[in-house]
Amino acid sequence: MSVYLDHAATTPVRDVALSAFHDVALLGGNPSSLHGAGRRARRAVEDAREQVAAALGVGAAEVVLTAGGTEADNLGVKGLFGARSAEDPARTRVLASPVEHHAVLDCVTWLAEARGAEVRWLPVDRRGRVDVDGTAALLAEDPDRTALLTCMWANNEVGTVQPVHELVELSHAHGVPVHVDAVQAVGWLDGEVGSLGADTVAVSGHKLGAPVGSGVLVVRRGVELEPVVHGGGQERGVRSGTVDAPAAAALAAALSAAAAERDVEAPRVAALRDRLAAGVLALDPTAVVQGADLHAPGARLPTNLHVTFPGCEGDSLLYLFDAHDVAVSTGSACRAGVPEPSHVLDAMGVDAGLARGALRFSLGRTSTDADVDTALAVLLGVLDRARAAVARAHGLAAS
Ligand code: PLP
């Protein structure tokens, strides 16, 4: 039986999303066209926008449709920086958490290299949580020259939930706008996106059960952004390109379904995750759960279990699990097929040797007790083989 424990990478498409996509795709028409077909497509887009807005607790006019989370992050981070520095060229500072997904991290480093931004990294603790007092001190240092602050709501590798409400409040007290990457949080955490009060918030469809290639950037009323994609001026002029009506309908359907079932699904999945964690630690007492405390309310995504296994290589673990048809992840990025060390674990101060044995189990709405049982049933054999491989490699290196 195949077991999928990589929902943070992408989660299976929902039937409601597929049928919404299908129905709207059959309508045809370009939402910008003035004829009947165009108007019907436009109606579908605006209906989807309203549904998305209701699920996120924001106004429909605040929803900018994108082709995914990465694009939404690019528009939020680069767009805020561009608009703020155009208003006042002295605003070159960017405050960013060092545990961001590459979709944000690489925008920030690009701004430093290509636009002369001066990046200040927010302090994070051993659990990957941004330190609020440290952030307050960084903000107070030079608020007038600070273009923006960016911090994710929940971390994709270790599941740590960030104090984003506090960060937004602090930042706004200094007149500094905030971008929040909510890609992993939406659908799982309590509290609506609207309640964050952030200036821009990125959401991705395929993490919620829509097909890959749909996303949203929530842009609070009155917030100016420099466009990243130029063209026909769609989506308030900040995201040109023919609006993808079927994708918008699918995203709206998936997001509404996720929001409707969250109160039931979040505790159900957290209980499965906790049973998996207890089983892993019982089978391998040397294993270490990284990230926020599993049992501290609201501290961690209910879907996430991140473990480091001493004496193992995460990639070997992944392939050995895969040989049993159990899909897991190391959690960190992989560029052109080459695994990279995790910048998240590094920022948390996890020993580099230990970080090599990282494995992320991420659960979702299709996860079952049987999935947990299967993963635990194969774990010991997987660990033995992974450790034997490391021992062999050391033996070879010594001989
Ligand atoms: N931000 C976070 C926290 C993510 O986990 C991901 C995807 O893994 C993204 C952004 C990128 O989203 P997308 O895959 O829709 O481009």
Side-chain angles (χ1 to χ4, degrees):
M1 189 190 67
S2 125
V3 171
Y4 188 75
L5 293 172
D6 198 14
H7 289 262
T10 194
T11 202
V13 178
R14 293 172 188 265
D15 290 342
V16 285
L18 273 184
S19 67
F21 187 99
H22 177 260
D23 292 351
V24 174
L26 288 179
L27 286 179
N30 181 327
S32 296
S33 298
L34 300 178
H35 45 62
R39 289 198 304 275
R40 280 190 290 280
R42 166 61 57 189
R43 185 70 258 151
V45 169
E46 296 314 323
D47 286 349
R49 196 188 306 281
E50 272 168 30
Q51 217 181 325
V52 167
L56 296 177
V58 302
E62 297 176 309
V63 172
V64 171
L65 298 165
T66 71
T70 300
E71 194 197 316
D73 278 327
N74 271 260
L75 180 56
V77 174
K78 294 180 190 168
L80 280 174
F81 184 88
R84 295 269 295 161
S85 57
E87 221 172 74
D88 179 352
R91 287 182 188 142
T92 53
R93 284 177 103 223
V94 175
L95 305 188
S97 113
V99 296
E100 296 299 291
H101 186 274
H102 276 290
V104 168
L105 205 61
D106 289 26
C107 288
V108 170
T109 51
W110 180 83
L111 285 173
E113 283 158 18
R115 296 283 171 90
E118 181 196 328
V119 182
R120 301 299 302 269
W121 300 107
L122 308 180
V124 296
D125 66 16
R126 184 66 178 70
R127 293 184 179 277
R129 189 172 193 272
V130 169
D131 175 53
V132 175
D133 292 342
T135 302
L138 279 176
L139 272 165
E141 258 176 29
D142 208 348
D144 294 345
R145 287 187 50 249
T146 306
L148 73 138
L149 180 148
T150 180
C151 183
M152 66 205 327
W153 195 353
N155 185 267
N156 49 296
E157 285 186 38
V158 295
T160 302
V161 176
Q162 301 296 355
V164 277
H165 292 86
E166 285 160 88
L167 297 180
V168 169
E169 204 172 304
L170 260 177
S171 207
H172 282 176
H174 287 287
V176 173
V178 180
H179 172 72
V180 173
D181 176 338
V183 166
Q184 294 288 341
V186 167
W188 293 106
L189 295 185
D190 280 347
E192 290 175 325
V193 159
S195 76
L196 298 175
D199 298 81
T200 54
V201 182
V203 179
S204 168
H206 75 102
K207 312 288 183 181
L208 295 158
V212 176
S214 58
V216 162
L217 184 69
V218 172
V219 183
R220 216 161 49 100
R221 266 182 202 82
V223 170
E224 297 289 329
L225 294 181
E226 181 184 82
V228 174
V229 178
H230 298 89
Q234 291 90 342
E235 297 299 282
R236 290 163 61 180
V238 293
R239 199 280 180 179
S240 286
T242 300
V243 177
D244 188 342
L251 169 65
L255 182 57
S256 302
E261 69 195 23
R262 185 181 55 201
D263 289 351
V264 173
E265 275 297 279
R268 183 189 75 83
V269 170
L272 285 178
R273 185 273 315 273
D274 290 348
R275 195 163 73 77
L276 179 61
V280 167
L281 295 175
L283 289 168
D284 181 3
T286 69
V288 181
V289 175
Q290 303 290 349
D293 185 346
L294 289 173
H295 305 294
R300 187 178 189 120
L301 282 174
T303 49
N304 173 284
L305 176 64
H306 184 287
V307 183
T308 49
F309 294 99
C312 295
E313 292 286 338
D315 307 331
S316 316
L317 294 171
L318 187 158
Y319 291 122
L320 288 162
F321 266 115
D322 190 44
H324 293 280
D325 216 359
V326 176
V328 293
S329 162
T330 59
S332 56
C334 180
R335 294 203 177 205
V338 181
E340 286 189 344
S342 161
H343 65 278
V344 174
L345 297 181
D346 185 44
M348 288 161 56
V350 175
D351 170 75
L354 197 57
R356 296 179 70 95
L359 207 64
R360 178 187 70 186
F361 302 89
S362 56
L363 292 78
R365 73 175 203 289
T366 59
S367 298
T368 62
D369 269 311
D371 292 344
V372 172
D373 293 340
T374 306
L376 291 174
V378 301
L379 178 65
L380 273 189
V382 163
L383 289 175
D384 282 349
R385 291 189 60 188
R387 288 189 171 125
V390 169
R392 256 197 322 277
H394 282 159
L396 281 178
S399 63

